[in-house]
Short mmCIF file of all heavy atoms in Angstrom, two decimals:
data_model
loop_
_atom_site.label_atom_id
_atom_site.label_comp_id
_atom_site.label_asym_id
_atom_site.label_seq_id
_atom_site.Cartn_x
_atom_site.Cartn_y
_atom_site.Cartn_z
N GLY A 301 23.63 77.75 -22.34
CA GLY A 301 23.66 78.34 -21.01
C GLY A 301 23.95 77.30 -19.96
O GLY A 301 24.29 76.15 -20.24
N GLN A 302 23.81 77.69 -18.73
CA GLN A 302 24.06 76.79 -17.62
C GLN A 302 23.11 77.11 -16.49
O GLN A 302 22.47 78.16 -16.47
CB GLN A 302 25.50 76.92 -17.14
CG GLN A 302 25.89 78.34 -16.72
CD GLN A 302 27.39 78.46 -16.42
OE1 GLN A 302 28.12 77.51 -16.51
NE2 GLN A 302 27.80 79.66 -16.04
N ALA A 303 22.99 76.17 -15.56
CA ALA A 303 22.06 76.35 -14.44
C ALA A 303 22.48 77.54 -13.59
O ALA A 303 23.67 77.83 -13.44
CB ALA A 303 22.02 75.09 -13.59
N CYS A 304 21.49 78.24 -13.07
CA CYS A 304 21.78 79.37 -12.19
C CYS A 304 22.44 78.87 -10.90
O CYS A 304 22.08 77.81 -10.38
CB CYS A 304 20.48 80.11 -11.83
SG CYS A 304 19.75 80.99 -13.21
N GLU A 305 23.39 79.62 -10.42
CA GLU A 305 24.01 79.28 -9.16
C GLU A 305 23.05 79.63 -8.03
O GLU A 305 22.47 80.71 -8.00
CB GLU A 305 25.32 80.04 -8.98
CG GLU A 305 26.40 79.66 -9.98
CD GLU A 305 27.71 80.39 -9.73
OE1 GLU A 305 27.72 81.20 -8.77
OE2 GLU A 305 28.66 80.18 -10.47
N SER A 306 22.89 78.70 -7.09
CA SER A 306 22.01 78.96 -5.96
C SER A 306 22.66 80.01 -5.07
O SER A 306 23.84 79.97 -4.78
CB SER A 306 21.76 77.67 -5.17
OG SER A 306 22.99 77.14 -4.72
N THR A 307 21.84 80.96 -4.64
CA THR A 307 22.34 82.05 -3.79
C THR A 307 22.13 81.71 -2.33
O THR A 307 21.10 81.17 -1.93
CB THR A 307 21.61 83.36 -4.12
OG1 THR A 307 20.20 83.16 -3.95
CG2 THR A 307 21.89 83.79 -5.55
N THR A 308 23.14 81.98 -1.49
CA THR A 308 23.07 81.72 -0.06
C THR A 308 23.14 83.06 0.67
O THR A 308 24.05 83.86 0.46
CB THR A 308 24.24 80.84 0.40
OG1 THR A 308 24.20 79.62 -0.34
CG2 THR A 308 24.16 80.57 1.89
N THR A 309 22.16 83.32 1.50
CA THR A 309 22.10 84.56 2.26
C THR A 309 22.92 84.40 3.53
O THR A 309 22.71 83.47 4.33
CB THR A 309 20.64 84.91 2.63
OG1 THR A 309 19.89 85.02 1.42
CG2 THR A 309 20.61 86.24 3.39
N THR A 310 23.88 85.28 3.73
CA THR A 310 24.75 85.24 4.90
C THR A 310 24.36 86.38 5.83
O THR A 310 24.34 87.54 5.44
CB THR A 310 26.23 85.38 4.50
OG1 THR A 310 26.55 84.32 3.61
CG2 THR A 310 27.13 85.32 5.73
N THR A 311 24.03 86.03 7.07
CA THR A 311 23.60 87.02 8.05
C THR A 311 24.61 87.06 9.19
O THR A 311 24.96 86.03 9.76
CB THR A 311 22.21 86.66 8.62
OG1 THR A 311 21.30 86.54 7.52
CG2 THR A 311 21.76 87.74 9.59
N THR A 312 25.08 88.23 9.48
CA THR A 312 26.02 88.40 10.58
C THR A 312 25.31 89.16 11.70
O THR A 312 24.70 90.20 11.48
CB THR A 312 27.26 89.20 10.12
OG1 THR A 312 27.85 88.49 9.03
CG2 THR A 312 28.26 89.34 11.25
N SER A 313 25.37 88.61 12.91
CA SER A 313 24.67 89.23 14.03
C SER A 313 25.53 89.11 15.29
O SER A 313 26.43 88.28 15.39
CB SER A 313 23.31 88.56 14.25
OG SER A 313 23.49 87.19 14.54
N GLY A 314 25.22 89.93 16.25
CA GLY A 314 25.86 89.84 17.56
C GLY A 314 27.32 90.20 17.54
O GLY A 314 28.14 89.51 18.14
#
Side-chain angles (χ1 to χ4, degrees):
Q302 57 188 0
C304 291
E305 294 182 0
S306 58
T307 57
T308 302
T309 303
T310 301
T311 304
T312 302
S313 60

